[in-house]
Amino acid sequence: MRVVIAEDAVLVREGIARVLASAGFEVVAEVGDADELLAAVRECRPDVCVVDIRMPPGGADDGLVAAQQIRAELPNVGILVLSQYVDEHYVMRLLDDGAEGVGYLLKDRVAEVSRFTDAVTRVAEGGSALDPEVVSHMVGSRADDSLTALTPREREVLQQMAEGLSNRAIAAALDVSDRAVEYHVTSIFGKLGLPATGNEHRRVLAVLAYLQG
C-alpha cells in the first residue's frame, strides 16, 4: 500500500515512516505542511494519507482542512488523521462526508505498532478507525434513555463498532463467539432505533451520528 505522511515535526514524521516501511507499506512522500500534502497526493495518488491535524502554513487545523479537500477531490484516498488531543469537533468534521476510508487516532497510538498499522490498513481499504479514547468519550457523553437501555456488554460492543471493528474482530477482542456479537449488534440497533445494515462503515457512521446528535 502506498502512503503519504504529512507531519511538520521531522523526528515524528521519520518515526512514522520507519514504522510503516517496516510493516511493508510503501512511503511515497513525506511532507511538512498542508500545501505540500495536497501537491504530493495529487502527484502520487496514494492509497492512504497519515496527516497531523495541526501543521503549517497556518499552524491551526491546516492538516484537517487539507484532508477534507483531498476527500472531496480524491474520495478513494484514505485519510488517517493524528491528533494530540481528543476533540469531538474535529472527529465530526472528518466524518461529515461519511465514515468510509477515514480514521482519527491520538498520536500516542503510533507507538502501539500493531494497532497503528492495522488502522492504516483498514482506512486504506475503505474502512474506518477511530481511537478508543475518542469513542469512549463520545459514548460517555450520551446518557439518554436509548443509550442507558444498553447492557454493559452491548455498550462494549457499541464502542468497538464505532472504532471500526468488524464483528469477527469484536468477537476476538471480547473472547466471545461470532454469533454472540451478531446478537448484540442486532439488539443495539433495535434499542437505538437504527436500521441494521450489512455495511460495516455505514453502521459506524450511523452510530456516531446518533451519539453526536
Side-chain angles (χ1 to χ4, degrees):
M1 291 182 178
R2 293 160 52 83
V3 185
V4 167
I5 301 170
E7 164 64 62
D8 60 305
V10 176
L11 292 180
V12 176
R13 185 170 69 236
E14 290 182 352
I16 294 172
R18 190 174 302 114
V19 166
L20 292 177
S22 296
F25 294 88
E26 180 185 359
V27 179
V28 295
E30 300 177 42
V31 301
D33 68 50
D35 293 338
E36 292 177 345
L37 168 61
L38 290 171
V41 170
R42 288 165 179 157
E43 178 181 353
C44 300
R45 301 299 176 97
D47 298 299
V48 60
C49 303
V50 178
V51 183
D52 185 18
I53 287 181
R54 294 185 177 276
M55 63 190 326
D61 61 350
D62 298 57
L64 181 60
V65 172
Q68 291 177 300
Q69 188 169 342
I70 292 167
R71 293 203 73 196
E73 291 184 17
L74 301 166
N76 291 329
V77 176
I79 300 290
L80 177 63
V81 301
L82 301 177
S83 176
Q84 292 277 16
Y85 313 103
V86 175
D87 192 316
E88 190 172 318
H89 174 66
Y90 285 155
V91 177
M92 297 315 296
R93 280 177 57 188
L94 182 67
L95 295 172
D96 273 348
D97 297 322
E100 294 85 355
V102 297
Y104 183 108
L105 292 183
L106 297 180
K107 281 191 174 181
D108 290 347
R109 301 298 176 198
V110 176
E112 301 175 26
V113 174
S114 61
R115 181 189 290 269
F116 175 59
T117 56
D118 177 68
V120 175
T121 299
R122 196 185 312 155
V123 169
E125 293 176 344
S128 58
L130 299 182
D131 196 279
E133 284 191 35
V134 174
V135 175
S136 180
H137 171 77
M138 295 177 73
V139 172
S141 68
R142 293 299 301 272
D144 61 15
D145 291 342
S146 295
L147 198 57
T148 55
L150 300 180
T151 67
R153 177 63 85 185
E154 288 169 350
R155 198 179 181 92
E156 287 182 306
V157 172
L158 171 61
Q159 292 193 24
Q160 298 208 35
M161 283 169 57
E163 289 172 33
L165 300 184
S166 66
N167 283 2
R168 178 164 296 180
I170 294 172
L174 299 181
D175 194 24
V176 297
S177 68
D178 291 356
R179 185 179 296 275
V181 173
E182 292 172 5
Y183 172 82
H184 290 312
V185 169
T186 300
S187 178
I188 288 167
F189 276 117
K191 290 179 179 179
L192 298 186
L194 297 171
T197 170
N199 187 307
E200 296 289 335
H201 318 313
R202 289 183 186 276
R203 78 180 189 177
V204 172
L205 180 60
V207 170
L208 289 179
Y210 171 82
L211 296 176
Q212 175 68 8

